[in-house]
Amino acid sequence: DAGITQSPRHKVTETGTPVTLRCHQTENHRYMYWYRQDPGHGLRLIHYSYGVKDTDKGEVSDGYSVSRSKTEDFLLTLESATSSQTSVYFCAITQRGLRGSSDTQYFGPGTRLTVL
Amino acid sequence: QQPVQSPQAVILREGEDAVINCSSSKALYSVHWYRQKHGEAPVFLMILLKGGEQKGHEKISASFNEKKQQSSLYLTASQLSYSGTYFCGTEMADYKLSFGAGTTVTVRA
């Protein structure tokens, strides 16, 4: 499982409240990602990080921010949650070796977020 | 940029074969395949690099046609354990993956 944990695993919140999801990894991977998964859309990239304090936007970044102050933690914040952000959120890491030889992306267990 | 997967769903009996296709309009560096069981995280199956290689995992194999920007996943002699949703993820050499919408595979006894 590449040592990835996510917290919380389930959360119910109300519209307009801030929410922070945490991804923690124990194997010193450089690249970390946040995805959301919705029926009919597969997995869509929200933000990713290529190092401490180095982050960039994905395809569905509006309404989300991220921070990475330590290699092991990647935080996703919904600044003011909306019902459209109800989803399952997955964190992932890329285990990279020589280019192409061992590029595998491993996913955390997911966080189910419901915004009422 | 999201790749297109087909079919959306397939129902098989044990021992039957199936093919799942993934196509992109962009030049690809690699294609990744994952399987996800209900309520679980996606699990990595295999990666294919440009060069038209094929790989296998159990009796699941895949190919990548770089010229057509297409990849196919082959489920051979399907088993009940093959049930789940299969996703392709495409990479354009920028360390990010774009995932297809998924193909739901149901294998029945």
Side-chain angles (χ1 to χ4, degrees), chain A residues 33 37 41 96 99 105 108, chain B residues 2 29 34 36 41 95-96:
Chain A
Y33 309 79
Q37 185 174 38
H41 291 279
R96 309 196 84 85
R99 183 59 175 162
Q105 197 160 117
Chain B
Q2 190 175 17
Y29 178 82
Y34 292 80
Q36 184 178 30
Y95 303 102
K96 296 184 291 185

Side-chain angles (χ1 to χ4, degrees), chain A residues 73-112:
Chain A
D73 288 325
F74 191 30
L75 304 180
L76 177 71
T77 298
L78 289 64
E79 290 140 14
S80 179
T82 67
S83 58
S84 64
Q85 293 176 311
T86 292
S87 187
V88 179
Y89 291 86
F90 286 102
C91 173
I93 60 92
T94 291
Q95 184 169 326
R96 309 196 84 85
L98 296 175
R99 183 59 175 162
S101 67
S102 61
D103 290 355
T104 55
Q105 197 160 117
Y106 293 98
F107 287 83
T111 294
R112 183 172 296 276

Side-chain angles (χ1 to χ4, degrees), chain A residues 39-96:
Chain A
H41 291 279
L43 293 145
R44 292 182 291 175
L45 182 64
I46 305 171
H47 282 280
Y48 69 105
S49 170
Y50 45 95
V52 173
K53 297 188 180 179
D54 291 324
T55 64
D56 206 349
K57 296 179 179 180
E59 57 184 301
V60 290
S61 59
D62 287 348
Y64 301 94
S65 63
V66 291
S67 65
R68 192 168 179 201
S69 58
K70 298 185 291 184
T71 298
E72 58 266 35
D73 288 325
F74 191 30
L75 304 180
L76 177 71
T77 298
L78 289 64
E79 290 140 14
S80 179
T82 67
S83 58
S84 64
Q85 293 176 311
T86 292
S87 187
V88 179
Y89 291 86
F90 286 102
C91 173
I93 60 92
T94 291
Q95 184 169 326
R96 309 196 84 85

Side-chain angles (χ1 to χ4, degrees), chain B residues 56-97:
Chain B
H57 173 84
E58 301 170 343
K59 290 186 177 179
I60 300 173
S61 61
S63 62
F64 177 25
N65 186 321
E66 179 185 350
K67 290 182 179 178
K68 292 185 178 181
Q69 306 307 326
Q70 291 178 349
S71 179
S72 295
L73 188 74
Y74 306 94
L75 307 182
T76 305
S78 57
Q79 306 168 15
L80 294 176
S81 62
Y82 287 3
S83 292
T85 301
Y86 290 78
F87 294 97
C88 67
T90 54
E91 180 188 6
M92 293 180 286
D94 59 356
Y95 303 102
K96 296 184 291 185
L97 293 181

Side-chain angles (χ1 to χ4, degrees), chain B residues 22-78:
Chain B
C22 174
S23 63
S24 173
S25 59
K26 304 285 187 180
L28 300 177
Y29 178 82
S30 66
V31 179
H32 304 228
W33 285 97
Y34 292 80
R35 179 172 64 204
Q36 184 178 30
K37 303 279 187 177
H38 183 70
E40 299 179 5
V43 174
F44 173 80
L45 292 176
M46 64 192 79
I47 178 176
L48 299 105
L49 304 178
K50 61 181 181 180
E53 66 172 321
Q54 283 190 296
K55 282 196 172 180
H57 173 84
E58 301 170 343
K59 290 186 177 179
I60 300 173
S61 61
S63 62
F64 177 25
N65 186 321
E66 179 185 350
K67 290 182 179 178
K68 292 185 178 181
Q69 306 307 326
Q70 291 178 349
S71 179
S72 295
L73 188 74
Y74 306 94
L75 307 182
T76 305
S78 57

